[in-house]
Amino acid sequence: QVHTVESGGGSVQAGGSLRLSCAASGDTKIIACVGWFRQEPGKVREGVARIHTQSGGTYYADAVKGRFTISQDNAANTVYLEMNNLKPEDTAMYYCAAASLVRCYLEPLNPYIYPTWGQGTQVTVSS
C-alpha cells in the first residue's frame, strides 16, 4: 500500500512562486507515476502535471506549461511541483496522486487511474 502527503502550499501574490512537495511512503517501488491535480470548490478536478518515475518523463497541462516544473528525488521518495509566475486562476487545492498502472504513461492526467491520493495543500494566488 502506498500513501502520499502533500506540503508547501500557501498564499502568494500574482507572479510569485511556490514549491509543493509530495512525500510517498509504503510500497513505493510499485509507483509508476506521480501526478499533481488541483480542484476548486464546485469544480471538476483538473490534472496539472505527471512524472513517470522510471523514465523521468514529464507531462504538463497546457494551462501550466512553461510555468510549472515537476521533478523527483528518488532517494527521498519525494516529487516536487515548482510553480512560477503564479496567476489567480492557479488558486485551488492541490493534490498529489500515485499510480501503479503503466496506463499512467499514456493517460498522464486521467485521475481515475490514480488510486492513491493525499489530503491536499491549498494554494491561493491574489491579484
Side-chain angles (χ1 to χ4, degrees), residues 29-90:
K29 63 180 181 295
I30 70 170
I31 298 175
C33 295
V34 174
W36 282 98
F37 296 79
R38 63 188 182 186
Q39 188 171 23
E40 295 179 76
K43 294 190 177 181
V44 175
R45 189 164 293 189
E46 174 189 24
V48 175
R50 179 275 279 142
I51 189 163
H52 184 251
T53 54
Q54 184 173 20
S55 68
T58 58
Y59 185 92
Y60 298 93
D62 288 343
V64 306
K65 204 171 291 184
R67 299 188 298 122
F68 290 12
T69 303
I70 188 170
S71 62
Q72 62 183 354
D73 181 342
N74 289 334
N77 290 322
T78 301
V79 169
Y80 303 99
L81 185 68
E82 185 76 34
M83 305 186 295
N84 297 314
N85 191 21
L86 282 161
K87 303 176 181 181
E89 51 264 42
D90 294 318

